[in-house]
Amino acid sequence: QLMLDYQPVADLRTGEVLGVEALVRWQHPTLGLLAPGDFIALAEETGDIDAVGAWVLDTATRQGAAWRHTLDHCADLWIAVNLSPFQLANPHSVTTIQHILADPTVQADHVVLEITETALTSDIEGGIAILNTLKRFGVRIAIDDFGSGYSSLSTLARLPVDILKIDRSF
């Protein structure tokens, strides 16, 4: 019952779509279409987030590879996927992420892994180590909602981050 919506990211000067962000939705049989805010916390609480996150990453990266392969104007299209803090904290989940990224058809250099600023607050050193491990596959790392937590700029400078998405409160 899970599905992905893809939100385009375009160059404002040219209108060219550079990439897409994969956003999971749940087509619930009685409640209708549910946004992530309606079910991700429950998936994290029950431990199902590992399976959900792996499915999202695998499905989105394969779709991106298919678009790059079949559509001429999408040769450099990148796919952004959100990771839960619970995925980063679970060694089994990190291994699954690595397995997905190691598949050459995924083209990890066309993948952006997004994490929230608060995902790193409980174990900054462990978070840095995991992000560095994932970066070895060629992915880019984005910090989403920066400014919503308590990270300092000196902490940000230590993170292996390529993209910084500022929280809308700024």
mmCIF file with all atom_site columns, all heavy atoms in Angstrom, residues 6-26:
data_model
loop_
_atom_site.group_PDB
_atom_site.id
_atom_site.type_symbol
_atom_site.label_atom_id
_atom_site.label_alt_id
_atom_site.label_comp_id
_atom_site.label_asym_id
_atom_site.label_entity_id
_atom_site.label_seq_id
_atom_site.pdbx_PDB_ins_code
_atom_site.Cartn_x
_atom_site.Cartn_y
_atom_site.Cartn_z
_atom_site.occupancy
_atom_site.B_iso_or_equiv
_atom_site.pdbx_formal_charge
_atom_site.auth_seq_id
_atom_site.auth_comp_id
_atom_site.auth_asym_id
_atom_site.auth_atom_id
_atom_site.pdbx_PDB_model_num
ATOM 1   N N   . TYR A 1 6  ? 7.077  11.834 -6.553  1.00 0.00 ? 6  TYR A N   1
ATOM 2   C CA  . TYR A 1 6  ? 8.367  12.447 -6.846  1.00 0.00 ? 6  TYR A CA  1
ATOM 3   C C   . TYR A 1 6  ? 8.176  13.946 -7.026  1.00 0.00 ? 6  TYR A C   1
ATOM 4   O O   . TYR A 1 6  ? 7.430  14.386 -7.888  1.00 0.00 ? 6  TYR A O   1
ATOM 5   C CB  . TYR A 1 6  ? 8.989  11.826 -8.097  1.00 0.00 ? 6  TYR A CB  1
ATOM 6   C CG  . TYR A 1 6  ? 9.315  10.369 -7.901  1.00 0.00 ? 6  TYR A CG  1
ATOM 7   C CD1 . TYR A 1 6  ? 8.420  9.381  -8.268  1.00 0.00 ? 6  TYR A CD1 1
ATOM 8   C CD2 . TYR A 1 6  ? 10.519 9.989  -7.314  1.00 0.00 ? 6  TYR A CD2 1
ATOM 9   C CE1 . TYR A 1 6  ? 8.718  8.034  -8.078  1.00 0.00 ? 6  TYR A CE1 1
ATOM 10  C CE2 . TYR A 1 6  ? 10.822 8.650  -7.121  1.00 0.00 ? 6  TYR A CE2 1
ATOM 11  C CZ  . TYR A 1 6  ? 9.917  7.679  -7.505  1.00 0.00 ? 6  TYR A CZ  1
ATOM 12  O OH  . TYR A 1 6  ? 10.214 6.359  -7.310  1.00 0.00 ? 6  TYR A OH  1
ATOM 13  N N   . GLN A 1 7  ? 8.834  14.716 -6.163  1.00 0.00 ? 7  GLN A N   1
ATOM 14  C CA  . GLN A 1 7  ? 8.761  16.170 -6.205  1.00 0.00 ? 7  GLN A CA  1
ATOM 15  C C   . GLN A 1 7  ? 9.972  16.681 -6.979  1.00 0.00 ? 7  GLN A C   1
ATOM 16  O O   . GLN A 1 7  ? 11.120 16.445 -6.568  1.00 0.00 ? 7  GLN A O   1
ATOM 17  C CB  . GLN A 1 7  ? 8.773  16.715 -4.782  1.00 0.00 ? 7  GLN A CB  1
ATOM 18  C CG  . GLN A 1 7  ? 8.737  18.212 -4.684  1.00 0.00 ? 7  GLN A CG  1
ATOM 19  C CD  . GLN A 1 7  ? 8.686  18.655 -3.227  1.00 0.00 ? 7  GLN A CD  1
ATOM 20  O OE1 . GLN A 1 7  ? 8.114  17.994 -2.375  1.00 0.00 ? 7  GLN A OE1 1
ATOM 21  N NE2 . GLN A 1 7  ? 9.319  19.774 -2.943  1.00 0.00 ? 7  GLN A NE2 1
ATOM 22  N N   . PRO A 1 8  ? 9.765  17.368 -8.096  1.00 0.00 ? 8  PRO A N   1
ATOM 23  C CA  . PRO A 1 8  ? 10.911 17.823 -8.894  1.00 0.00 ? 8  PRO A CA  1
ATOM 24  C C   . PRO A 1 8  ? 11.676 18.959 -8.216  1.00 0.00 ? 8  PRO A C   1
ATOM 25  O O   . PRO A 1 8  ? 11.107 19.761 -7.486  1.00 0.00 ? 8  PRO A O   1
ATOM 26  C CB  . PRO A 1 8  ? 10.270 18.290 -10.194 1.00 0.00 ? 8  PRO A CB  1
ATOM 27  C CG  . PRO A 1 8  ? 8.858  18.598 -9.853  1.00 0.00 ? 8  PRO A CG  1
ATOM 28  C CD  . PRO A 1 8  ? 8.485  17.715 -8.685  1.00 0.00 ? 8  PRO A CD  1
ATOM 29  N N   . VAL A 1 9  ? 12.958 18.984 -8.482  1.00 0.00 ? 9  VAL A N   1
ATOM 30  C CA  . VAL A 1 9  ? 13.831 20.079 -8.061  1.00 0.00 ? 9  VAL A CA  1
ATOM 31  C C   . VAL A 1 9  ? 14.385 20.673 -9.345  1.00 0.00 ? 9  VAL A C   1
ATOM 32  O O   . VAL A 1 9  ? 15.072 19.986 -10.116 1.00 0.00 ? 9  VAL A O   1
ATOM 33  C CB  . VAL A 1 9  ? 14.977 19.578 -7.155  1.00 0.00 ? 9  VAL A CB  1
ATOM 34  C CG1 . VAL A 1 9  ? 15.910 20.721 -6.793  1.00 0.00 ? 9  VAL A CG1 1
ATOM 35  C CG2 . VAL A 1 9  ? 14.416 18.899 -5.915  1.00 0.00 ? 9  VAL A CG2 1
ATOM 36  N N   . ALA A 1 10 ? 14.063 21.938 -9.591  1.00 0.00 ? 10 ALA A N   1
ATOM 37  C CA  . ALA A 1 10 ? 14.409 22.565 -10.867 1.00 0.00 ? 10 ALA A CA  1
ATOM 38  C C   . ALA A 1 10 ? 15.372 23.730 -10.677 1.00 0.00 ? 10 ALA A C   1
ATOM 39  O O   . ALA A 1 10 ? 15.402 24.377 -9.625  1.00 0.00 ? 10 ALA A O   1
ATOM 40  C CB  . ALA A 1 10 ? 13.137 23.058 -11.557 1.00 0.00 ? 10 ALA A CB  1
ATOM 41  N N   . ASP A 1 11 ? 16.125 23.991 -11.710 1.00 0.00 ? 11 ASP A N   1
ATOM 42  C CA  . ASP A 1 11 ? 16.973 25.170 -11.792 1.00 0.00 ? 11 ASP A CA  1
ATOM 43  C C   . ASP A 1 11 ? 16.046 26.336 -12.118 1.00 0.00 ? 11 ASP A C   1
ATOM 44  O O   . ASP A 1 11 ? 15.396 26.335 -13.171 1.00 0.00 ? 11 ASP A O   1
ATOM 45  C CB  . ASP A 1 11 ? 18.022 24.976 -12.890 1.00 0.00 ? 11 ASP A CB  1
ATOM 46  C CG  . ASP A 1 11 ? 18.979 26.146 -13.008 1.00 0.00 ? 11 ASP A CG  1
ATOM 47  O OD1 . ASP A 1 11 ? 18.552 27.313 -12.851 1.00 0.00 ? 11 ASP A OD1 1
ATOM 48  O OD2 . ASP A 1 11 ? 20.166 25.900 -13.284 1.00 0.00 ? 11 ASP A OD2 1
ATOM 49  N N   . LEU A 1 12 ? 15.959 27.326 -11.244 1.00 0.00 ? 12 LEU A N   1
ATOM 50  C CA  . LEU A 1 12 ? 15.033 28.433 -11.445 1.00 0.00 ? 12 LEU A CA  1
ATOM 51  C C   . LEU A 1 12 ? 15.383 29.289 -12.658 1.00 0.00 ? 12 LEU A C   1
ATOM 52  O O   . LEU A 1 12 ? 14.511 29.918 -13.253 1.00 0.00 ? 12 LEU A O   1
ATOM 53  C CB  . LEU A 1 12 ? 14.959 29.305 -10.192 1.00 0.00 ? 12 LEU A CB  1
ATOM 54  C CG  . LEU A 1 12 ? 14.308 28.645 -8.978  1.00 0.00 ? 12 LEU A CG  1
ATOM 55  C CD1 . LEU A 1 12 ? 14.360 29.577 -7.776  1.00 0.00 ? 12 LEU A CD1 1
ATOM 56  C CD2 . LEU A 1 12 ? 12.884 28.228 -9.282  1.00 0.00 ? 12 LEU A CD2 1
ATOM 57  N N   . ARG A 1 13 ? 16.650 29.306 -13.033 1.00 0.00 ? 13 ARG A N   1
ATOM 58  C CA  . ARG A 1 13 ? 17.044 30.114 -14.191 1.00 0.00 ? 13 ARG A CA  1
ATOM 59  C C   . ARG A 1 13 ? 16.615 29.466 -15.502 1.00 0.00 ? 13 ARG A C   1
ATOM 60  O O   . ARG A 1 13 ? 16.180 30.150 -16.415 1.00 0.00 ? 13 ARG A O   1
ATOM 61  C CB  . ARG A 1 13 ? 18.553 30.343 -14.199 1.00 0.00 ? 13 ARG A CB  1
ATOM 62  C CG  . ARG A 1 13 ? 19.018 31.289 -13.091 1.00 0.00 ? 13 ARG A CG  1
ATOM 63  C CD  . ARG A 1 13 ? 20.508 31.302 -12.999 1.00 0.00 ? 13 ARG A CD  1
ATOM 64  N NE  . ARG A 1 13 ? 20.842 29.966 -12.451 1.00 0.00 ? 13 ARG A NE  1
ATOM 65  C CZ  . ARG A 1 13 ? 22.048 29.478 -12.321 1.00 0.00 ? 13 ARG A CZ  1
ATOM 66  N NH1 . ARG A 1 13 ? 23.069 30.176 -12.707 1.00 0.00 ? 13 ARG A NH1 1
ATOM 67  N NH2 . ARG A 1 13 ? 22.266 28.299 -11.807 1.00 0.00 ? 13 ARG A NH2 1
ATOM 68  N N   . THR A 1 14 ? 16.752 28.144 -15.594 1.00 0.00 ? 14 THR A N   1
ATOM 69  C CA  . THR A 1 14 ? 16.489 27.468 -16.870 1.00 0.00 ? 14 THR A CA  1
ATOM 70  C C   . THR A 1 14 ? 15.184 26.674 -16.881 1.00 0.00 ? 14 THR A C   1
ATOM 71  O O   . THR A 1 14 ? 14.692 26.314 -17.943 1.00 0.00 ? 14 THR A O   1
ATOM 72  C CB  . THR A 1 14 ? 17.624 26.493 -17.193 1.00 0.00 ? 14 THR A CB  1
ATOM 73  O OG1 . THR A 1 14 ? 17.635 25.442 -16.205 1.00 0.00 ? 14 THR A OG1 1
ATOM 74  C CG2 . THR A 1 14 ? 18.977 27.207 -17.217 1.00 0.00 ? 14 THR A CG2 1
ATOM 75  N N   . GLY A 1 15 ? 14.654 26.363 -15.706 1.00 0.00 ? 15 GLY A N   1
ATOM 76  C CA  . GLY A 1 15 ? 13.470 25.518 -15.623 1.00 0.00 ? 15 GLY A CA  1
ATOM 77  C C   . GLY A 1 15 ? 13.782 24.037 -15.757 1.00 0.00 ? 15 GLY A C   1
ATOM 78  O O   . GLY A 1 15 ? 12.888 23.204 -15.668 1.00 0.00 ? 15 GLY A O   1
ATOM 79  N N   . GLU A 1 16 ? 15.038 23.711 -15.958 1.00 0.00 ? 16 GLU A N   1
ATOM 80  C CA  . GLU A 1 16 ? 15.442 22.312 -16.127 1.00 0.00 ? 16 GLU A CA  1
ATOM 81  C C   . GLU A 1 16 ? 15.283 21.551 -14.809 1.00 0.00 ? 16 GLU A C   1
ATOM 82  O O   . GLU A 1 16 ? 15.700 22.025 -13.748 1.00 0.00 ? 16 GLU A O   1
ATOM 83  C CB  . GLU A 1 16 ? 16.907 22.246 -16.571 1.00 0.00 ? 16 GLU A CB  1
ATOM 84  C CG  . GLU A 1 16 ? 17.441 20.844 -16.681 1.00 0.00 ? 16 GLU A CG  1
ATOM 85  C CD  . GLU A 1 16 ? 18.936 20.790 -16.962 1.00 0.00 ? 16 GLU A CD  1
ATOM 86  O OE1 . GLU A 1 16 ? 19.610 21.845 -16.913 1.00 0.00 ? 16 GLU A OE1 1
ATOM 87  O OE2 . GLU A 1 16 ? 19.430 19.686 -17.210 1.00 0.00 ? 16 GLU A OE2 1
ATOM 88  N N   . VAL A 1 17 ? 14.685 20.370 -14.882 1.00 0.00 ? 17 VAL A N   1
ATOM 89  C CA  . VAL A 1 17 ? 14.572 19.514 -13.708 1.00 0.00 ? 17 VAL A CA  1
ATOM 90  C C   . VAL A 1 17 ? 15.910 18.833 -13.502 1.00 0.00 ? 17 VAL A C   1
ATOM 91  O O   . VAL A 1 17 ? 16.400 18.103 -14.375 1.00 0.00 ? 17 VAL A O   1
ATOM 92  C CB  . VAL A 1 17 ? 13.435 18.472 -13.875 1.00 0.00 ? 17 VAL A CB  1
ATOM 93  C CG1 . VAL A 1 17 ? 13.431 17.502 -12.701 1.00 0.00 ? 17 VAL A CG1 1
ATOM 94  C CG2 . VAL A 1 17 ? 12.091 19.171 -13.997 1.00 0.00 ? 17 VAL A CG2 1
ATOM 95  N N   . LEU A 1 18 ? 16.514 19.087 -12.340 1.00 0.00 ? 18 LEU A N   1
ATOM 96  C CA  . LEU A 1 18 ? 17.829 18.540 -12.021 1.00 0.00 ? 18 LEU A CA  1
ATOM 97  C C   . LEU A 1 18 ? 17.734 17.223 -11.263 1.00 0.00 ? 18 LEU A C   1
ATOM 98  O O   . LEU A 1 18 ? 18.598 16.360 -11.373 1.00 0.00 ? 18 LEU A O   1
ATOM 99  C CB  . LEU A 1 18 ? 18.621 19.535 -11.175 1.00 0.00 ? 18 LEU A CB  1
ATOM 100 C CG  . LEU A 1 18 ? 18.794 20.929 -11.776 1.00 0.00 ? 18 LEU A CG  1
ATOM 101 C CD1 . LEU A 1 18 ? 19.439 21.854 -10.764 1.00 0.00 ? 18 LEU A CD1 1
ATOM 102 C CD2 . LEU A 1 18 ? 19.617 20.849 -13.042 1.00 0.00 ? 18 LEU A CD2 1
ATOM 103 N N   . GLY A 1 19 ? 16.693 17.120 -10.466 1.00 0.00 ? 19 GLY A N   1
ATOM 104 C CA  . GLY A 1 19 ? 16.529 15.931 -9.644  1.00 0.00 ? 19 GLY A CA  1
ATOM 105 C C   . GLY A 1 19 ? 15.116 15.863 -9.117  1.00 0.00 ? 19 GLY A C   1
ATOM 106 O O   . GLY A 1 19 ? 14.281 16.730 -9.412  1.00 0.00 ? 19 GLY A O   1
ATOM 107 N N   . VAL A 1 20 ? 14.869 14.822 -8.349  1.00 0.00 ? 20 VAL A N   1
ATOM 108 C CA  . VAL A 1 20 ? 13.563 14.656 -7.719  1.00 0.00 ? 20 VAL A CA  1
ATOM 109 C C   . VAL A 1 20 ? 13.768 14.140 -6.310  1.00 0.00 ? 20 VAL A C   1
ATOM 110 O O   . VAL A 1 20 ? 14.732 13.430 -6.021  1.00 0.00 ? 20 VAL A O   1
ATOM 111 C CB  . VAL A 1 20 ? 12.643 13.703 -8.502  1.00 0.00 ? 20 VAL A CB  1
ATOM 112 C CG1 . VAL A 1 20 ? 12.297 14.255 -9.866  1.00 0.00 ? 20 VAL A CG1 1
ATOM 113 C CG2 . VAL A 1 20 ? 13.245 12.332 -8.619  1.00 0.00 ? 20 VAL A CG2 1
ATOM 114 N N   . GLU A 1 21 ? 12.857 14.523 -5.428  1.00 0.00 ? 21 GLU A N   1
ATOM 115 C CA  . GLU A 1 21 ? 12.851 13.988 -4.078  1.00 0.00 ? 21 GLU A CA  1
ATOM 116 C C   . GLU A 1 21 ? 11.742 12.956 -3.999  1.00 0.00 ? 21 GLU A C   1
ATOM 117 O O   . GLU A 1 21 ? 10.598 13.233 -4.370  1.00 0.00 ? 21 GLU A O   1
ATOM 118 C CB  . GLU A 1 21 ? 12.628 15.087 -3.044  1.00 0.00 ? 21 GLU A CB  1
ATOM 119 C CG  . GLU A 1 21 ? 12.686 14.559 -1.622  1.00 0.00 ? 21 GLU A CG  1
ATOM 120 C CD  . GLU A 1 21 ? 12.626 15.644 -0.567  1.00 0.00 ? 21 GLU A CD  1
ATOM 121 O OE1 . GLU A 1 21 ? 12.641 16.838 -0.905  1.00 0.00 ? 21 GLU A OE1 1
ATOM 122 O OE2 . GLU A 1 21 ? 12.567 15.283 0.634   1.00 0.00 ? 21 GLU A OE2 1
ATOM 123 N N   . ALA A 1 22 ? 12.088 11.758 -3.559  1.00 0.00 ? 22 ALA A N   1
ATOM 124 C CA  . ALA A 1 22 ? 11.113 10.687 -3.410  1.00 0.00 ? 22 ALA A CA  1
ATOM 125 C C   . ALA A 1 22 ? 10.405 10.853 -2.075  1.00 0.00 ? 22 ALA A C   1
ATOM 126 O O   . ALA A 1 22 ? 11.055 10.924 -1.036  1.00 0.00 ? 22 ALA A O   1
ATOM 127 C CB  . ALA A 1 22 ? 11.809 9.329  -3.485  1.00 0.00 ? 22 ALA A CB  1
ATOM 128 N N   . LEU A 1 23 ? 9.089  10.914 -2.120  1.00 0.00 ? 23 LEU A N   1
ATOM 129 C CA  . LEU A 1 23 ? 8.283  11.109 -0.922  1.00 0.00 ? 23 LEU A CA  1
ATOM 130 C C   . LEU A 1 23 ? 7.314  9.941  -0.784  1.00 0.00 ? 23 LEU A C   1
ATOM 131 O O   . LEU A 1 23 ? 6.491  9.697  -1.673  1.00 0.00 ? 23 LEU A O   1
ATOM 132 C CB  . LEU A 1 23 ? 7.516  12.428 -1.016  1.00 0.00 ? 23 LEU A CB  1
ATOM 133 C CG  . LEU A 1 23 ? 8.396  13.666 -1.237  1.00 0.00 ? 23 LEU A CG  1
ATOM 134 C CD1 . LEU A 1 23 ? 7.550  14.869 -1.598  1.00 0.00 ? 23 LEU A CD1 1
ATOM 135 C CD2 . LEU A 1 23 ? 9.240  13.928 -0.006  1.00 0.00 ? 23 LEU A CD2 1
ATOM 136 N N   . VAL A 1 24 ? 7.421  9.215  0.321   1.00 0.00 ? 24 VAL A N   1
ATOM 137 C CA  . VAL A 1 24 ? 6.580  8.038  0.526   1.00 0.00 ? 24 VAL A CA  1
ATOM 138 C C   . VAL A 1 24 ? 5.183  8.452  0.964   1.00 0.00 ? 24 VAL A C   1
ATOM 139 O O   . VAL A 1 24 ? 5.011  9.415  1.716   1.00 0.00 ? 24 VAL A O   1
ATOM 140 C CB  . VAL A 1 24 ? 7.233  7.059  1.534   1.00 0.00 ? 24 VAL A CB  1
ATOM 141 C CG1 . VAL A 1 24 ? 7.297  7.649  2.935   1.00 0.00 ? 24 VAL A CG1 1
ATOM 142 C CG2 . VAL A 1 24 ? 6.521  5.718  1.550   1.00 0.00 ? 24 VAL A CG2 1
ATOM 143 N N   . ARG A 1 25 ? 4.230  7.719  0.457   1.00 0.00 ? 25 ARG A N   1
ATOM 144 C CA  . ARG A 1 25 ? 2.827  7.897  0.817   1.00 0.00 ? 25 ARG A CA  1
ATOM 145 C C   . ARG A 1 25 ? 2.245  6.516  1.118   1.00 0.00 ? 25 ARG A C   1
ATOM 146 O O   . ARG A 1 25 ? 2.713  5.516  0.598   1.00 0.00 ? 25 ARG A O   1
ATOM 147 C CB  . ARG A 1 25 ? 2.020  8.509  -0.340  1.00 0.00 ? 25 ARG A CB  1
ATOM 148 C CG  . ARG A 1 25 ? 2.577  9.818  -0.873  1.00 0.00 ? 25 ARG A CG  1
ATOM 149 C CD  . ARG A 1 25 ? 2.312  10.950 0.090   1.00 0.00 ? 25 ARG A CD  1
ATOM 150 N NE  . ARG A 1 25 ? 2.667  12.231 -0.486  1.00 0.00 ? 25 ARG A NE  1
ATOM 151 C CZ  . ARG A 1 25 ? 3.676  12.973 -0.065  1.00 0.00 ? 25 ARG A CZ  1
ATOM 152 N NH1 . ARG A 1 25 ? 4.454  12.576 0.904   1.00 0.00 ? 25 ARG A NH1 1
ATOM 153 N NH2 . ARG A 1 25 ? 3.914  14.144 -0.625  1.00 0.00 ? 25 ARG A NH2 1
ATOM 154 N N   . TRP A 1 26 ? 1.205  6.489  1.940   1.00 0.00 ? 26 TRP A N   1
ATOM 155 C CA  . TRP A 1 26 ? 0.529  5.229  2.249   1.00 0.00 ? 26 TRP A CA  1
ATOM 156 C C   . TRP A 1 26 ? -0.907 5.345  1.735   1.00 0.00 ? 26 TRP A C   1
ATOM 157 O O   . TRP A 1 26 ? -1.676 6.161  2.218   1.00 0.00 ? 26 TRP A O   1
ATOM 158 C CB  . TRP A 1 26 ? 0.547  4.975  3.745   1.00 0.00 ? 26 TRP A CB  1
ATOM 159 C CG  . TRP A 1 26 ? -0.139 3.718  4.205   1.00 0.00 ? 26 TRP A CG  1
ATOM 160 C CD1 . TRP A 1 26 ? -0.645 2.700  3.441   1.00 0.00 ? 26 TRP A CD1 1
ATOM 161 C CD2 . TRP A 1 26 ? -0.383 3.348  5.562   1.00 0.00 ? 26 TRP A CD2 1
ATOM 162 N NE1 . TRP A 1 26 ? -1.182 1.721  4.232   1.00 0.00 ? 26 TRP A NE1 1
ATOM 163 C CE2 . TRP A 1 26 ? -1.046 2.098  5.544   1.00 0.00 ? 26 TRP A CE2 1
ATOM 164 C CE3 . TRP A 1 26 ? -0.114 3.950  6.781   1.00 0.00 ? 26 TRP A CE3 1
ATOM 165 C CZ2 . TRP A 1 26 ? -1.433 1.443  6.707   1.00 0.00 ? 26 TRP A CZ2 1
ATOM 166 C CZ3 . TRP A 1 26 ? -0.509 3.302  7.927   1.00 0.00 ? 26 TRP A CZ3 1
ATOM 167 C CH2 . TRP A 1 26 ? -1.148 2.057  7.891   1.00 0.00 ? 26 TRP A CH2 1
#
